[in-house]
Structure formats: structure tokens, C-alpha cells
Amino acid sequence: MGQVHFGKIDLQQMIEMSSLIVVAREEPDGKISRTFLPARGIEPYVYADTRYRVIEVLLGTDELSPGTDIMVTGFDPGALKVHLDYHVRGLSRSPEVPAYDLGRELRPDTAAGCILFLKRRILLLRDSHGKLCTEVDALAHPCWNALESPDKKKMVRAMIKNRAGKSGIEVTIGVSRALPLDAEIGLIEQIKVMFPHYTSYSWKVMNISPERL
């Protein structure tokens, strides 16, 4: 596959991209390997989920409290698209992904943990009848390397105060056939029913079983 190119973002941008910010510690043996099979005959897409124990909530729901376990998914629709291009079409792409530059290495499995920046990530699968079902609905990092040292809590809190409130959700919809021109009719209504507590919705459609050349 091609080489990944990183587009640099700063701390304020990462905060704007996040709907949940916590101080958390990676749990022992917290990594879980996951496999998504796009379609028969296509190499499985493998990713890892990681379990964390919340130490402190800096931004997010009141229902989340210290001591709660959360799972952060490594599923990335962009990486899945690169995977399909390579294994189906033989295309070696060099994608650009947003990344936060820490300038140093952090260990999220230490007692103090680290600050995690997170958002909700959704993958829905659409069947031949147009019905949507949930494949992935989990917390995810909004960019590459979305973490900071706990000693930056004061700075992060101050920057959160300047963060514009957002209640939008982004959805990826996987389809396993060539879509007719009117295939997206009715999608927004289904998404609103599935995720009613948001004020804005956006989605992209991905063919997860493209034909081989």
C-alpha cells in the first residue's frame, strides 16, 4: 500500500473535532482484534479496539463518570477504502490524514493515563431492500494521535470554553451492490430515526464489495 501522509492540526482544532474528552488509562490486555469482511473473496479488514478506564471527564456526557470503562475503536472508514482499493483494484494510494503532533511519545497504560480526544463513529450496512443496520457504533479518535499529557488539563479546559457547541453526527453507509441513481432517497429519514438526538447529519456511501477488475 502507499505511504500515509499526515496533515498537521493543532490542539484547538482537535478539540473542535471532539465531542468527548477524558483523562483515561488503557486497561491491561485492553486491546481486542476485530475483523470486518467486506464481501466474499475480499481480504478481511482487520483493526483493533482498545478498552480504557476513565479517570476524569473534561468534556462530554454527565452519564460518564470516573471509573467507567470505555471502548475506543480503531475502525476507520478511510483506511477501509484504502484496503478495498488495494485488495480489489490493486491500487496503492497515499492518503492524507489529519494528525496531531505531540512531539513526544505518551504511554496511555501508565497510572496517570493520558487525555483522549474522541467522537462517535458510525458504520451502517444497507441491504438490497434499503434497510440500514449497524455494524460499528463506537467512540473513535477524530484524528491520528489524538491524545495529550494529563499535565495539559488546565490548558485543554481553557480551550474547551472557546469551543463552539456541536451536535452533528457523521455516518458511513456500506453497500454491497451498484446503487441506482435514486438510492440515497430516504436515507436521511432513516438516519434521523436511528440517531434522534442530533441537530445535523452527514453521510457518505461506500461500496464494500466492488467488482474485481
Side-chain angles (χ1 to χ4, degrees):
M1 298 186 188
Q3 181 179 1
V4 175
H5 299 290
F6 296 107
K8 187 175 181 180
I9 65 169
D10 59 29
L11 183 58
Q12 185 66 61
Q13 289 173 307
M14 187 164 61
I15 290 173
E16 291 289 338
M17 297 165 69
S18 305
S19 57
L20 176 67
I21 303 175
V22 298
V23 181
R25 177 180 63 252
E26 183 180 331
E27 291 283 75
D29 302 319
K31 291 193 181 299
I32 302 172
S33 180
R34 308 284 192 195
T35 300
F36 173 64
L37 184 62
R40 178 179 292 182
I42 298 178
E43 190 77 13
Y45 169 68
V46 179
Y47 61 97
D49 289 349
T50 306
R51 188 173 69 254
Y52 291 88
R53 177 66 56 89
V54 174
I55 299 172
E56 184 177 355
V57 180
L58 304 182
L59 172 70
T61 173
D62 294 335
E63 298 175 359
L64 193 63
S65 59
T68 304
D69 280 354
I70 58 173
M71 190 70 75
V72 178
T73 187
F75 174 83
D76 183 345
L80 175 58
K81 181 63 168 61
V82 171
H83 175 88
L84 291 171
D85 285 345
Y86 180 78
H87 288 286
V88 177
R89 299 186 177 91
L91 299 178
S92 182
R93 297 196 296 116
S94 299
E96 181 174 277
V97 298
Y100 178 63
D101 184 10
L102 271 168
R104 64 199 186 286
E105 182 180 358
L106 286 182
R107 291 283 305 276
D109 58 346
T110 60
C114 62
I115 303 175
L116 300 181
F117 300 83
L118 303 164
K119 70 174 185 178
R120 193 174 179 183
R121 178 160 291 161
I122 309 292
L123 171 65
L124 304 178
L125 301 183
R126 195 178 198 198
D127 64 20
S128 58
H129 302 291
K131 182 180 179 181
L132 298 176
C133 62
T134 303
E135 176 69 21
V136 176
D137 183 353
L139 294 172
H141 295 295
C143 66
W144 189 275
N145 211 30
L147 67 165
E148 250 298 354
S149 171
D151 60 17
K152 294 292 182 68
K153 284 192 300 182
K154 184 176 180 180
M155 177 187 297
V156 170
R157 282 198 183 98
M159 298 176 82
I160 286 174
K161 292 180 180 178
N162 298 323
R163 176 185 180 276
K166 295 182 179 180
S167 60
I169 190 169
E170 301 174 1
V171 177
T172 300
I173 299 174
V175 298
S176 56
R177 58 185 174 84
L179 289 176
L181 294 178
D182 62 352
E184 295 194 24
I185 293 178
L187 273 182
I188 186 62
E189 287 77 12
Q190 291 189 69
I191 293 172
K192 284 182 176 180
V193 169
M194 296 178 75
F195 309 101
H197 303 298
Y198 292 88
T199 58
S200 65
Y201 305 83
S202 62
W203 71 89
K204 56 185 175 183
V205 175
M206 179 186 303
N207 187 358
I208 59 173
S209 61
E211 295 182 1
R212 294 183 181 274
L213 295 177

